[in-house]
Amino acid sequence: MKMLTFPGSRVVLRAAGTCSVLFMAATAGAQTITLVQSNATTLRGGTYASTNYSTQPVIETRASSDGSYVRRGLMKFDTHSTIAAGASIASARLTITMAGGNSQSRQLSAYRVTTAYDELVATWNTRTSSSQWSKAGADLGARYDTETVTNTPGSKVTFDVTALVQAAVRGDFGTRYTRIALLDDGASSQDSYKAIHSDEATNSAYWPTLTVTLGTAPASSTTSTSTSTSTLRVLQYNTHHGGYGTDGRYDPNRLANWIVKMTPDVVLLNEIEKNTGWGNQNQPEVYKSLLESKTGKTWYYIFAQEFGDWSSTGKGNLILSRVPFQFIDRHELVHNGDRSIAEATITWNNRPITFILTHLDPDSKTLRLTQAAEVTAWAAAEPENKILTGDMNAWPDQTSIAQLNKYFYDSWAVAASKGTATAFPGNSGETKSGRIDYIFSSKGSPNLAVMASRVYDTRDSNGVMPSDHRPVVTTFDVR
């Protein structure tokens, strides 16, 4: 390795035979490392799905309903050989520089890429010369930040990826490289196109950078990856298309006020709409923003659109957490293409907790039983401790619930046996016309104990509810 020194105690390290560049600076007891080799490339779908763009001076993003116009930017930074395994990370920031694009201001999201890729051969369909992505367009994990970009050349945008780099350096993902995808999750638009300088740009000052500050993050940091409290509050809520109340009025703010009032740590929502005629909004982003503005904390989410096209518009299941995800997954139910599973694992009181959210068929008992069997078979391979929630569209005496009860405890029933299941006068746990919304915990979970469960009365003074369902919250002791 060749070392070149510069004034001001800054050093540049160039690895022999590579173009990896690392800037290091010591400031007030903390060491800052800036990685500027990003292995950047663009993935483009449709008729361009076999084209590699690694030699281009820009990476591109665009949201489009036409696959040939969809673009996503990929980057990989070497936090493996430049940062010691397990090193304490105080902060990590990805900074990009805009090269241009079309007129609309857009929101780009930074996702973790869960599998390795070769920059020189990666395309929409393939990640290496011998392997394809499991899902065309890259294998995506949790979303860590969303920022607004314009088409102003030279403007810089910074994403907070502290939690991602912390987890990568700890080795949580099996690799200590940091891989990031930049996506436009918004509605299809010709003017959504954006160009970002890549590490092939002539001027290196425009290259994407990952700036990592070593040291202990402040206790108040919003990117804390775990919590030391043992009490975990889990909210399950069917939102009726994202916030249509019993008065027929669409009001996500009204529903979000109730979510915050119930002080959950993890929120699991059914019938969330992404850019559909039900509200015409990107509701996953709407609820993230509302919770952040009302709590002053960062919230993380995973959205599983119901018919399996994960980047598309449509109705689906949304998991939100006030601590970052360590792992996420999505699964389209084979039996009925309009049902899916969202999965997310967090660390709570130093224990892994896996959340599984689904929504079973509303019309057919036979289909619900088939779907419940598929859910339990799929969930069997997922890591403990498992919490399964959802609008199951079935009362406790139906066969689909009996199928779930083979592997999971019904937390309301457990709390009722302890005398800690509560509702309100005239209600004995019904979440709609009957008890159809559930929070289950796996019978194989070694670290979960039900403390209490409650169905909330969300009626206002006029008897109006923000959804046609009532929410249920179960409090667990994570041991």
Side-chain angles (χ1 to χ4, degrees), residues 236-244 269-274 278 283 287 303 306 314-318 339 357-359 362 391 393 432 467-469:
Q236 160 60 34
Y237 203 174
N238 183 314
T239 65
H240 190 49
H241 301 289
Y244 280 85
L269 304 178
N270 295 124
E271 293 194 13
I272 291 294
E273 305 280 348
K274 179 180 176 182
W278 291 95
Q283 291 179 2
Y287 279 101
F303 177 68
E306 281 190 339
K315 178 161 65 75
N317 303 307
L318 177 68
R339 301 289 147 177
L357 171 63
T358 194
H359 186 186
D391 175 2
N393 277 307
K432 196 178 180 186
S467 166
D468 62 351
H469 285 242

Coordinates of all heavy atoms in Angstrom, one line a residue, residues 236-244 269-274 278 283 287 303 306 314-318 339 357-359 362 391 393 432 467-469:
Q236 N -50.9 -3.8 16.1 CA -51.5 -4.4 14.9 C -52.7 -3.6 14.6 O -53.6 -3.4 15.4 CB -51.8 -5.9 15.1 CG -52.8 -6.4 14.0 CD -52.4 -6.3 12.6 OE1 -51.2 -6.4 12.3 NE2 -53.3 -6.1 11.7
Y237 N -52.8 -3.1 13.3 CA -53.9 -2.2 12.9 C -54.2 -2.3 11.5 O -53.3 -2.1 10.6 CB -53.5 -0.8 13.3 CG -54.6 0.3 13.5 CD1 -54.2 1.6 13.9 CD2 -55.9 0.0 13.3 CE1 -55.2 2.5 14.2 CE2 -56.9 1.0 13.5 CZ -56.5 2.2 14.0 OH -57.5 3.2 14.2
N238 N -55.5 -2.7 11.1 CA -55.9 -2.6 9.7 C -56.4 -1.1 9.5 O -57.3 -0.7 10.2 CB -57.0 -3.6 9.4 CG -57.5 -3.5 7.9 OD1 -57.7 -2.4 7.4 ND2 -57.6 -4.7 7.3
T239 N -55.8 -0.4 8.6 CA -56.0 1.1 8.5 C -57.1 1.4 7.5 O -57.4 2.6 7.4 CB -54.7 1.7 7.9 OG1 -54.5 1.3 6.6 CG2 -53.5 1.4 8.8
H240 N -57.8 0.5 6.9 CA -58.9 0.7 5.9 C -58.4 1.6 4.8 O -58.7 2.8 4.8 CB -60.1 1.3 6.6 CG -61.3 1.3 5.6 ND1 -61.7 0.2 4.9 CD2 -62.2 2.3 5.3 CE1 -62.7 0.5 4.2 NE2 -63.1 1.8 4.4
H241 N -57.5 1.1 4.0 CA -56.9 1.8 2.9 C -56.1 3.0 3.3 O -56.1 4.0 2.6 CB -58.0 2.2 1.8 CG -58.8 1.0 1.3 ND1 -58.2 0.1 0.4 CD2 -60.0 0.5 1.6 CE1 -59.1 -0.9 0.1 NE2 -60.2 -0.6 0.8
G242 N -55.4 2.9 4.4 CA -54.5 3.9 4.8 C -55.1 5.1 5.6 O -54.4 6.1 5.7
G243 N -56.3 5.0 6.0 CA -56.8 6.0 6.9 C -58.2 6.6 6.5 O -58.5 7.8 6.7
Y244 N -59.0 5.7 5.9 CA -60.4 6.1 5.6 C -61.3 5.8 6.8 O -61.4 4.6 7.1 CB -61.0 5.4 4.3 CG -60.5 6.1 3.1 CD1 -59.3 5.8 2.5 CD2 -61.3 7.1 2.4 CE1 -58.8 6.4 1.3 CE2 -60.8 7.7 1.3 CZ -59.6 7.3 0.7 OH -59.2 7.9 -0.4
L269 N -49.2 -2.5 10.0 CA -50.4 -2.0 9.4 C -50.8 -2.7 8.1 O -50.0 -3.0 7.3 CB -50.1 -0.5 9.0 CG -49.7 0.4 10.1 CD1 -49.4 1.8 9.6 CD2 -50.6 0.5 11.3
N270 N -52.1 -3.1 8.1 CA -52.6 -3.7 6.9 C -53.3 -2.6 6.0 O -53.7 -1.5 6.5 CB -53.6 -4.8 7.2 CG -53.0 -6.0 7.9 OD1 -53.5 -6.3 9.0 ND2 -52.1 -6.6 7.3
E271 N -53.6 -2.9 4.8 CA -54.3 -2.0 3.8 C -53.6 -0.7 3.7 O -54.3 0.4 3.7 CB -55.7 -1.9 4.2 CG -56.5 -3.2 4.0 CD -58.0 -3.1 4.0 OE1 -58.5 -1.9 3.9 OE2 -58.7 -4.1 4.1
I272 N -52.3 -0.7 3.5 CA -51.6 0.6 3.2 C -51.5 0.7 1.7 O -51.1 -0.3 1.0 CB -50.2 0.6 3.9 CG1 -50.3 0.7 5.4 CG2 -49.3 1.7 3.4 CD1 -50.9 2.0 5.9
E273 N -51.8 1.8 1.2 CA -51.8 2.1 -0.3 C -50.6 2.9 -0.7 O -50.3 3.9 -0.1 CB -53.1 2.8 -0.6 CG -54.4 2.1 -0.2 CD -54.8 1.0 -1.1 OE1 -54.3 0.8 -2.2 OE2 -55.7 0.2 -0.7
K274 N -50.0 2.5 -1.8 CA -48.9 3.2 -2.3 C -49.3 3.8 -3.7 O -49.4 3.0 -4.7 CB -47.7 2.3 -2.5 CG -46.5 3.0 -3.1 CD -45.3 2.1 -3.1 CE -44.1 2.7 -3.8 NZ -42.9 1.8 -4.0
W278 N -56.8 5.3 -3.7 CA -57.2 5.4 -2.3 C -56.2 6.4 -1.6 O -55.1 6.0 -1.1 CB -57.1 4.1 -1.5 CG -58.2 3.1 -1.9 CD1 -58.1 2.1 -2.9 CD2 -59.5 3.0 -1.4 NE1 -59.2 1.4 -3.0 CE2 -60.1 1.9 -2.1 CE3 -60.2 3.7 -0.4 CZ2 -61.4 1.6 -1.8 CZ3 -61.5 3.3 -0.1 CH2 -62.1 2.3 -0.8
Q283 N -48.3 6.1 0.8 CA -48.6 6.0 2.3 C -47.5 5.4 3.1 O -47.4 5.9 4.3 CB -49.9 5.2 2.5 CG -51.1 5.9 1.9 CD -52.4 5.2 2.1 OE1 -52.4 4.1 2.7 NE2 -53.5 5.7 1.6
Y287 N -46.7 7.7 6.4 CA -46.8 7.3 7.8 C -45.4 7.4 8.5 O -45.3 7.7 9.7 CB -47.4 5.9 7.9 CG -48.9 6.0 7.9 CD1 -49.6 5.7 6.8 CD2 -49.6 6.4 9.0 CE1 -51.0 5.8 6.7 CE2 -51.0 6.5 9.0 CZ -51.7 6.2 7.8 OH -53.0 6.4 7.8
F303 N -42.2 -2.4 3.3 CA -43.6 -2.4 2.7 C -43.6 -3.6 1.7 O -42.7 -3.7 0.9 CB -43.9 -1.1 2.0 CG -45.2 -1.1 1.3 CD1 -46.4 -1.2 2.0 CD2 -45.3 -1.1 -0.1 CE1 -47.6 -1.2 1.3 CE2 -46.5 -1.0 -0.8 CZ -47.7 -1.1 -0.1
E306 N -49.1 -6.2 -2.2 CA -49.8 -7.5 -2.1 C -49.5 -8.5 -3.3 O -49.5 -9.7 -3.0 CB -51.3 -7.3 -1.9 CG -51.6 -6.9 -0.5 CD -53.1 -6.9 -0.2 OE1 -53.9 -6.8 -1.1 OE2 -53.4 -7.0 1.0
G314 N -49.7 0.0 -5.3 CA -50.7 -1.0 -4.9 C -50.9 -1.0 -3.4 O -50.2 -0.3 -2.6
K315 N -51.8 -1.9 -2.9 CA -52.1 -2.1 -1.5 C -51.2 -3.1 -0.9 O -50.7 -4.1 -1.6 CB -53.5 -2.5 -1.3 CG -54.0 -2.8 0.1 CD -55.5 -2.7 0.2 CE -56.2 -3.8 -0.6 NZ -56.0 -5.1 0.0
G316 N -50.8 -3.0 0.4 CA -49.9 -4.0 1.0 C -49.8 -3.9 2.5 O -50.6 -3.2 3.1
N317 N -48.8 -4.5 3.0 CA -48.6 -4.6 4.4 C -47.3 -3.8 4.8 O -46.3 -3.9 4.1 CB -48.4 -6.1 4.8 CG -49.6 -6.9 4.4 OD1 -50.7 -6.6 4.8 ND2 -49.3 -8.0 3.7
L318 N -47.4 -3.0 5.9 CA -46.3 -2.1 6.3 C -45.9 -2.4 7.7 O -46.7 -2.4 8.6 CB -46.8 -0.7 6.1 CG -45.8 0.4 6.5 CD1 -44.6 0.5 5.6 CD2 -46.6 1.8 6.6
R339 N -52.1 -11.5 -1.9 CA -51.8 -11.6 -0.5 C -50.3 -11.7 -0.4 O -49.6 -12.4 -1.2 CB -52.5 -12.7 0.2 CG -54.0 -12.7 0.1 CD -54.6 -11.5 0.9 NE -55.8 -11.0 0.3 CZ -56.5 -10.0 0.9 NH1 -56.2 -9.6 2.1 NH2 -57.6 -9.5 0.3
L357 N -45.9 -10.1 9.1 CA -47.2 -9.4 8.9 C -47.9 -9.9 7.7 O -47.2 -10.0 6.6 CB -47.0 -7.9 8.9 CG -48.2 -7.1 8.5 CD1 -49.3 -7.2 9.5 CD2 -47.7 -5.6 8.3
T358 N -49.1 -10.3 7.8 CA -49.9 -10.8 6.6 C -51.3 -10.3 6.7 O -51.8 -9.7 7.7 CB -49.8 -12.3 6.5 OG1 -50.2 -12.7 5.1 CG2 -50.6 -13.0 7.5
H359 N -52.1 -10.7 5.7 CA -53.5 -10.3 5.6 C -54.2 -11.4 4.8 O -54.0 -11.5 3.6 CB -53.6 -8.9 4.9 CG -55.0 -8.3 4.9 ND1 -55.3 -7.2 4.2 CD2 -56.2 -8.7 5.5 CE1 -56.6 -6.9 4.4 NE2 -57.1 -7.8 5.2
P362 N -60.6 -12.3 2.7 CA -61.8 -11.9 3.4 C -63.0 -12.7 3.1 O -64.0 -12.6 3.9 CB -62.0 -10.4 3.0 CG -61.5 -10.4 1.6 CD -60.3 -11.3 1.6
D391 N -54.5 -8.9 9.9 CA -55.9 -9.1 9.8 C -56.1 -10.4 9.2 O -55.9 -10.6 8.0 CB -56.5 -7.9 8.9 CG -58.0 -8.1 8.6 OD1 -58.6 -9.1 9.1 OD2 -58.5 -7.3 7.9
N393 N -59.1 -12.0 9.2 CA -60.4 -12.2 8.6 C -61.1 -13.4 9.1 O -61.9 -14.0 8.4 CB -60.4 -12.1 7.1 CG -60.4 -10.7 6.6 OD1 -61.2 -9.9 6.9 ND2 -59.4 -10.4 5.7
K432 N -63.3 -5.7 14.9 CA -64.2 -5.3 13.9 C -65.6 -5.9 14.2 O -66.1 -5.7 15.3 CB -63.8 -5.6 12.4 CG -64.5 -4.8 11.4 CD -64.1 -5.0 10.0 CE -64.9 -4.2 9.0 NZ -64.6 -4.6 7.6
S467 N -60.5 4.3 11.3 CA -60.5 3.2 10.4 C -61.7 2.3 10.8 O -62.3 2.5 11.9 CB -59.2 2.3 10.6 OG -59.4 1.0 10.0
D468 N -62.1 1.4 9.9 CA -63.2 0.6 10.3 C -62.8 -0.6 11.2 O -63.7 -1.4 11.6 CB -64.0 0.1 9.0 CG -63.1 -0.8 8.1 OD1 -61.9 -0.9 8.3 OD2 -63.6 -1.4 7.1
H469 N -61.5 -0.7 11.5 CA -61.0 -1.7 12.4 C -60.6 -0.9 13.7 O -60.3 0.3 13.7 CB -59.8 -2.4 11.9 CG -60.1 -3.4 10.9 ND1 -59.9 -4.8 11.1 CD2 -60.7 -3.4 9.6 CE1 -60.3 -5.5 10.0 NE2 -60.8 -4.6 9.1

